[in-house]
Amino acid sequence: MWEATLWTACLAAVVLMAKPDMHERSKPTALLAHLLLALPFFTLVSRFIVNDTSIQYVAAFGGESLPMKYRFAATWAAREGPILMWVVWLSLLAWLWRKPIVGKSSESNISRNFRQRVMYGFSLTLLFIALVLNPFKPTPNFFVGSGLNELLQTNLMIIHPPIIFLAYSFCIFIAAVSLAAIFTHETTDIETRILTLVRPGLLVTTVGIGLGGLWAYLILDWGGYWAWDPVETGSFLPWLALVGLSHMRTRPGKVTDNGWIGAGLVVGALALFATLVTRAGGVWASSVHTFVISDTGSAPDDAFSRMMLLKSDALAGVEIMTYLMFILLMVGSWLMLNRRAYHARPSPNSALILLIPTIGAGLAIFFGADLYHWIPNPVIFGLLICFVGLDKLSNPNVVRNSEGWNFHSGKLLPSIIVLPVAVYLLVPKAFFVMLFIVFFTPMYYSDNASKEWIWASLGIMLGLAGAWSGMIGIITAAVVILVFIAPFLMEEDETKKSDTWMTKSRLNRLALWSSVMLVSLYLVLTLVILLESIDTINFDAHELYGAPFLLGFAAAMLTYTRRKANPQNTVYVLLAVLSFSLYMAIFFSDTLGGDSSTALSDYINRGVIAWISFPMLLLLVGPLVFEVKQQITKSTKQKFWLRIPVNAHLVHLGLVLLLIGHITTTVLVDRGDASHRITLVKDEIIIDGNYGFEFTELIATEDNLEVGDGFVGAKITVYDYQDGDFDEIGVVEPGMLRFDRTGTARSEVDVLSRWSGDMVFIFDGTQAQGLMQQTSSNGLESVNLVRVTIYDLPASHLVWLGWSLMMLGMLGVTYSGIYKIKQLNTKNQNLFEEE
C-alpha cells in the first residue's frame, strides 16, 4: 500500500516535466503535484513515528524505545530515506523558483521550463532509485534489525543531514541553470541567475558543514571538529566551488558566459561526487562517516574501479552508477559547450542526453543493477573523448583564423583524442583522465592556447597534486605539466611593456584574481588528494599542501585592505611578514606549543606548517576589522545591513578567525600522539604541563538516560598548576554510553571551556567493558585507575566565532541579493504600468 506513494510521486514528476509551467495554468494543481513528490518521504516518516515494524526499513533502524525526535532522524539512517528527503528539497526549490529569475533582464520562459525539467527529471531519477531499493518492502520472518546507529542518536544529527541535502539541492539547481543556458542558448545575464542561487546555497552549505563539525567536536572521540575524513572532504568540495562562483563577478575583467556556465556545472558535479563518497561504502573505506556500507570492492587501488565493482550490487549499484552518469553528463555538456564555440554555430538539439541517467535508472527497475555491468570501464571516458574529438575527423574542412599557437591546427589525429589516450596509458585512472580532459578541452578549442592561462594553471595543479598525493609518478606528472605549458613554450616572443608592475591598480587586480584562482587551484588539490585517500586519510598532506594556499589567501586579503596605500610599502609589508614566517619556520618551528615539534618528515614538523600562514593571518585581523567598520560607517542612502560589501567583509573576517583557530586546534594537535592519553590515579593529582587532573569518582548508571542502556564515566577535577599552587578551574565527567542491542558504545565527550579555549576530555573506550565487569563484581570503589585522552585546544573559540560571523555575513549577502531583486521587480512593474 505505502509503495503506491512512490508510483504516485513518479507520475507527478512526469507530469511536471511535461508541463513545467503548470502553476501558470492551475496553481492548486501544481502545488498538489509538488506535494505528491514529497509524499513518499513524509509517509516513511510517519511509519517511523508509529514504529511500524511491518516495514523492514523501520524494523531495521527504528525502535519503540527511541525518543520521538530520533525516530524522525532514523528516516535517513540508510540509503532510502535520504533519497526521498532529497526529492523533498528539490521539489521545494523548484516551487520557490517556479517563475523566471529576474536580474538585469528576465529569464525567458523557455529557459525557465528547461531548468525546471532538469530538476523534476533528477527528482524522477531519485524516485526510480527509491523504487529499486523499495523503502516500504515488508519485513521478512525472523528479521532482527540493528537499530539506529548510536552516533546518529544526537540532536545535531536531526538537523545536519537535512541541511546538507538542501545544500546539495541548491548545487543541482545551479547546474540546472547552466544546462538550461547550454541547451536553450540563452546566456544573457547568466551570472545573475546563477548568483541568485549561489548566495543562499553557500549559506546553507556553510551551516551544514559547520553543524557537522560541531557534531564531531561534541560526540566523536577524535577531539576536534575536522579531520579530513573523506566524507568531510567531499562536502568541502562543493563549498569551495560555491566560494569561487560567488567571487567571479568581483574578479577583474568580464567572465565569459561559458565561464559562468562551466562553474555552475562544476558545483552540481561536485555535489554528486560528495554524495558518491558518502554512499559508495567500500570505496572510501577509511571514512568513519560511511554508515551505508557495501562489503564489495576493496582490491583496486583507484576510486573509479572500486565504483565499478559496485555495479552488480543491487543496493549500491543503481544509485552509485546513476550519480556517476549524471556527473559524466555534466562533463559531456561542458565539452559540448566548448565544441559549439569552436564551430561558431549552434549545436544540434542534444537535450535528450539529459534523459540518459533517468532512463538508465528506470531500466534498472526492470533489469536490476546488472544493467550497469554491461558498461566497460574504458568506454565511459572514451565516449567523452569521442564526443568532441571526432569533430576534427567528421568536420575536416572547418577552418579557424588562429590568433596564435593552438592545439587544433594539426592535420593528423586531433590532440583531444591522442593526449587523453596517452595519459590513460600512463595513468589508468579514469577520474584523473576525466579531469585532464575537462581542463584541456578549452585550451584545445582556443585559437590562442597561450591566452588560456587559467586552464593551464588548473592542469599544472592537477599534475602537481597527482605527484604530491602519490597518485602518479614524477615522470608522468612532468608529462601532464608539459602539455599545459606547451603553448607558453611555443609562443613567439613579443615586446613587453617596460612599465613597473608595482602599481595600486595591478596589485589590486592581483588580489582580486587571487580570490578565484586560489580557490580553484586549492579545489583541484583537495579533490586529487581525496581521490587517492581511499584506504587511509592523508591528514598531513591536506595540511602541508594547503598551508601555502592559506598564506596566499591572507596575502591577497591584506593587499586588498591596503588598496589605497603606497604599493611599494604593501609589497615590503608582505615580504617582511613572509621572511619572518620562513625564519620562524626554519629556526623556531617548535615554539608554538601543542604538538608543534611532532615530526612529519626529516625536515618538516607541525610547527613548520603552522608558521607558514599563521603570522600573515594574525596580521590580517586588524585591517579586516577596520574594513568592516569603514564599510558600516560609509555614508550611503542604503542601510548598512543591506550592503553586500559590509556582509562580504564580515564573512572574510569570520573566515580568518576560523583559520587561526583551525591552526591552533587542528594543525598543531597530533591526535595520534600517545602523550595525550593520561592514566589517572584515584584521589591523586596528576600533573601534565600547566594543569593538574584528579580522578575523584567512577560513575556508572542505567537511570535517566535519553539514549543507551548504560553509562560509565569518570569524574575529574581540573586544576591550573602554577609554581606549585593548584587552582581548581572545573569538573568534567567524560564517559561511554553502552548500547546492548548492538553491543557497541559511544563516547560521551566532555568539554571544559575557558576564555583561552577548550579542553576536551575523552574517556578511553577500550577500558569501558573491563571497568563494568570489575564494578559489577567488586563495586565502584574498587576502581583506582582510569585512562583519559585530553586535548588542550587554545583559541578554539575562534573556530566557532568565525563560523558564526561567516553565517551572519552570508545571511546578509543573501538578504541583500533578495532585496535587490525585489527592487528590480518593482522597477520593472512600474515601467510596465507607465507604458
Side-chain angles (χ1 to χ4, degrees):
M1 176 181 67
W2 305 114
E3 189 177 344
T5 61
L6 288 171
W7 291 105
T8 304
C10 289
L11 179 61
V14 171
V15 171
L16 287 170
M17 286 182 68
K19 301 293 183 182
D21 56 349
M22 183 184 293
H23 66 277
E24 296 176 354
R25 306 164 188 251
S26 174
K27 189 174 182 178
T29 305
L31 180 59
L32 175 61
H34 284 80
L35 291 175
L36 289 176
L37 287 175
L39 182 61
F41 174 73
F42 289 108
T43 300
L44 186 60
V45 169
S46 70
R47 298 302 87 205
F48 271 98
I49 290 177
V50 300
N51 195 36
D52 184 358
T53 55
S54 66
I55 296 176
Q56 183 177 344
Y57 190 63
V58 178
F61 302 104
E64 190 175 1
S65 61
L66 284 175
M68 193 63 67
K69 58 184 178 181
Y70 295 141
R71 293 191 197 182
F72 178 69
T75 311
W76 46 83
R79 293 185 180 277
E80 297 88 332
I83 290 175
L84 298 179
M85 178 172 61
W86 203 352
V87 174
V88 174
W89 288 129
L90 290 167
S91 60
L92 176 63
L93 296 185
W95 174 259
L96 291 177
W97 276 277
R98 61 191 181 276
K99 296 180 180 179
I101 300 175
V102 177
K104 296 177 183 177
S105 61
S106 183
E107 181 185 21
S108 72
N109 288 332
I110 296 175
S111 176
R112 184 274 312 272
N113 291 346
F114 193 97
R115 46 108 168 152
Q116 290 291 88
R117 286 190 172 104
V118 173
M119 294 291 283
Y120 299 134
F122 187 67
S123 297
L124 179 60
T125 304
L126 293 177
L127 290 169
F128 281 162
I129 295 172
L131 279 168
V132 175
L133 302 177
N134 191 6
F136 300 108
K137 58 178 173 284
T139 305
N141 294 330
F142 310 110
F143 176 83
V144 178
S146 59
L148 181 62
N149 189 298
E150 61 273 7
L151 294 178
L152 300 179
Q153 297 181 39
T154 66
N155 292 333
L156 284 171
M157 293 312 292
I158 300 174
I159 54 178
H160 167 61
I163 291 179
I164 285 294
F165 275 95
L166 175 58
Y168 293 166
S169 298
F170 269 106
C171 294
I172 297 299
F173 203 168
I174 293 168
V177 172
S178 292
L179 289 170
I182 294 175
F183 291 105
T184 65
H185 308 284
E186 183 178 329
T187 59
T188 303
D189 205 23
I190 183 66
E191 67 272 19
T192 300
R193 299 203 295 276
I194 288 179
L195 285 175
T196 298
L197 299 167
V198 165
R199 287 162 180 160
L202 182 56
L203 170 62
V204 172
T205 307
T206 303
V207 172
I209 293 177
L211 288 175
L214 187 60
W215 168 69
Y217 192 68
L218 298 176
I219 300 299
L220 295 185
D221 57 3
W222 63 49
Y225 73 98
W226 193 263
W228 292 109
D229 176 87
V231 174
E232 291 176 347
T233 310
S235 66
F236 185 51
L237 293 174
W239 185 87
L240 284 173
L242 288 168
V243 169
L245 253 176
S246 66
H247 287 83
M248 283 178 62
R249 180 176 277 181
T250 58
R251 49 133 278 193
K254 177 177 173 57
V255 180
T256 65
D257 292 337
N258 285 5
W260 284 102
I261 294 170
L265 293 175
V266 167
V267 169
L270 289 177
L272 290 169
F273 183 77
T275 309
L276 276 180
V277 175
T278 307
R279 319 269 298 172
V283 176
W284 277 269
S286 58
S287 176
V288 299
H289 285 73
T290 307
F291 303 113
V292 183
I293 298 295
S294 172
D295 294 330
T296 59
S298 59
D301 61 353
D302 68 289
F304 187 85
S305 297
R306 290 193 179 184
M307 288 182 186
M308 292 300 104
L309 289 179
L310 297 177
K311 290 186 294 186
S312 58
D313 187 325
L315 289 177
V318 172
E319 182 181 5
I320 300 307
M321 290 300 104
T322 301
Y323 296 152
L324 186 57
M325 290 176 69
F326 266 105
I327 293 175
L328 295 174
L329 181 152
M330 293 180 187
V331 173
S333 298
W334 166 246
L335 303 184
M336 187 180 69
L337 180 66
N338 284 273
R339 181 185 67 175
R340 187 169 71 194
Y342 172 71
H343 287 297
R345 56 182 173 82
S347 299
N349 186 7
S350 306
L352 288 178
I353 70 170
L354 295 174
L355 295 176
I356 292 176
T358 305
I359 294 172
L363 291 174
I365 294 176
F366 302 101
F367 295 100
D370 286 338
L371 171 74
Y372 292 107
H373 200 65
W374 302 342
I375 307 174
N377 299 0
V379 169
I380 292 180
F381 85 90
L383 289 175
L384 296 178
I385 298 174
C386 294
F387 188 72
V388 292
L390 292 180
D391 283 342
K392 191 62 182 272
L393 301 180
S394 59
N395 299 281
N397 297 322
V398 174
V399 178
R400 296 291 298 268
N401 294 322
S402 298
E403 301 174 0
W405 195 89
N406 59 74
F407 283 99
H408 58 72
S409 58
K411 296 182 179 180
L412 301 177
L413 280 174
S415 55
I416 193 64
I417 290 181
V418 175
L419 291 177
V421 169
V423 171
Y424 182 75
L425 293 176
L426 291 172
V427 188
K429 298 187 178 183
F431 279 129
F432 186 90
V433 178
M434 186 188 305
L435 290 172
F436 177 89
I437 296 172
V438 168
F439 299 150
F440 177 69
T441 299
M443 298 187 68
Y444 171 78
Y445 283 124
S446 175
D447 290 329
N448 188 352
S450 62
K451 291 184 177 180
E452 306 298 332
W453 62 271
I454 296 177
W455 299 107
S457 301
L458 296 176
I460 292 170
M461 177 53 66
L462 176 65
L464 292 174
W468 288 340
S469 65
M471 178 182 288
I472 62 177
I474 299 297
I475 302 300
T476 304
V479 172
V480 171
I481 293 173
L482 182 61
V483 170
F484 287 99
I485 66 173
F488 307 95
L489 297 176
M490 301 299 294
E491 184 182 23
E492 296 181 1
D493 292 335
E494 296 180 1
T495 303
K496 304 294 181 181
K497 293 182 179 180
S498 58
D499 59 331
T500 179
W501 59 271
M502 197 182 299
T503 63
K504 287 183 181 180
S505 61
R506 292 193 176 182
L507 282 180
N508 189 37
R509 286 173 61 86
L510 182 62
L512 292 174
W513 259 111
S514 299
S515 63
V516 176
M517 286 305 302
L518 285 175
V519 169
S520 301
L521 294 173
Y522 186 54
L523 192 156
V524 174
L525 171 66
T526 307
L527 176 59
V528 172
I529 294 177
L530 173 60
L531 288 172
E532 192 61 15
S533 303
I534 55 178
D535 289 319
T536 57
I537 299 174
N538 289 326
F539 181 94
D540 296 337
H542 282 289
E543 299 295 345
L544 174 60
Y545 300 134
F549 288 91
L550 297 186
L551 173 64
F553 158 73
M557 284 301 306
L558 186 61
T559 301
Y560 178 79
T561 59
R562 293 177 53 85
R563 58 192 178 276
K564 296 181 181 179
N566 184 299
Q568 290 185 343
N569 291 341
T570 299
V571 173
Y572 293 152
V573 169
L574 294 176
L575 291 177
V577 177
L578 179 60
S579 299
F580 175 75
S581 296
L582 293 176
Y583 177 77
M584 296 300 294
I586 295 173
F587 298 105
F588 301 97
S589 60
D590 57 352
T591 56
L592 288 174
D595 298 333
S596 58
S597 60
T598 303
L600 302 180
S601 69
D602 293 338
Y603 305 102
I604 298 176
N605 57 29
R606 294 189 176 277
V608 170
I609 298 177
W611 274 115
I612 290 174
S613 56
F614 198 54
M616 193 76 77
L617 288 169
L618 284 175
L619 182 63
L620 181 57
V621 174
L624 275 178
V625 171
F626 179 77
E627 186 77 35
V628 172
K629 179 182 177 183
Q630 190 178 43
Q631 291 292 341
I632 291 176
T633 58
K634 192 175 182 180
S635 178
T636 61
K637 295 181 180 180
Q638 200 173 41
K639 297 177 180 178
F640 73 87
W641 59 81
L642 293 176
R643 299 201 298 268
I644 289 181
V646 173
N647 295 296
H649 289 304
L650 193 62
V651 175
H652 297 149
L653 175 60
L655 179 58
V656 170
L657 293 177
L658 189 152
L659 290 175
I660 293 173
H662 176 81
I663 291 174
T664 59
T665 62
T666 304
V667 177
L668 289 176
V669 177
D670 181 8
R671 303 188 191 281
D673 191 340
S675 64
H676 294 290
R677 182 178 294 183
I678 301 175
T679 299
L680 301 180
V681 182
K682 190 173 183 180
D683 297 327
E684 291 187 16
I685 299 178
I686 304 300
I687 300 174
D688 184 70
N690 295 325
Y691 298 98
F693 306 100
E694 182 182 13
F695 163 46
T696 59
E697 181 183 356
L698 186 71
I699 303 169
T701 182
E702 296 180 356
D703 301 326
N704 301 321
L705 298 176
E706 185 179 40
V707 295
D709 301 295
F711 173 82
V712 60
K715 188 174 183 179
I716 302 170
T717 304
V718 185
Y719 300 93
D720 190 5
Y721 176 69
Q722 297 289 341
D723 299 326
D725 296 329
F726 294 93
D727 182 18
E728 181 178 336
I729 57 178
V731 178
V732 294
E733 297 181 1
M736 300 290 295
L737 272 176
R738 188 184 77 245
F739 294 82
D740 293 340
R741 184 178 181 181
T742 57
T744 56
R746 185 185 83 193
S747 176
E748 288 290 283
V749 175
D750 204 355
V751 178
L752 178 63
S753 293
R754 307 178 68 197
W755 68 268
S756 58
D758 289 341
M759 189 174 294
V760 179
F761 294 80
I762 305 169
F763 193 73
D764 186 356
T766 60
Q767 64 187 330
Q769 185 175 1
L771 288 176
M772 285 191 172
Q773 292 176 351
Q774 181 178 347
T775 55
S776 64
S777 302
N778 304 316
L780 295 177
E781 298 300 323
S782 65
V783 177
N784 295 314
L785 295 174
V786 294
R787 290 190 306 274
V788 181
T789 301
I790 304 174
Y791 296 115
D792 184 18
L793 306 177
S796 60
H797 303 326
L798 293 180
V799 172
W800 310 114
L801 174 62
W803 176 53
S804 300
L805 288 177
M806 289 176 67
M807 290 191 296
L808 180 63
M810 289 176 184
L811 182 61
V813 170
T814 302
Y815 181 75
S816 300
I818 295 173
Y819 180 77
K820 284 188 175 182
I821 290 175
K822 286 184 177 180
Q823 285 185 318
L824 284 172
N825 278 329
T826 302
K827 182 179 179 180
N828 293 337
Q829 183 65 29
N830 292 336
L831 291 174
F832 177 77
E833 291 176 354
E834 291 176 2
E835 293 177 358

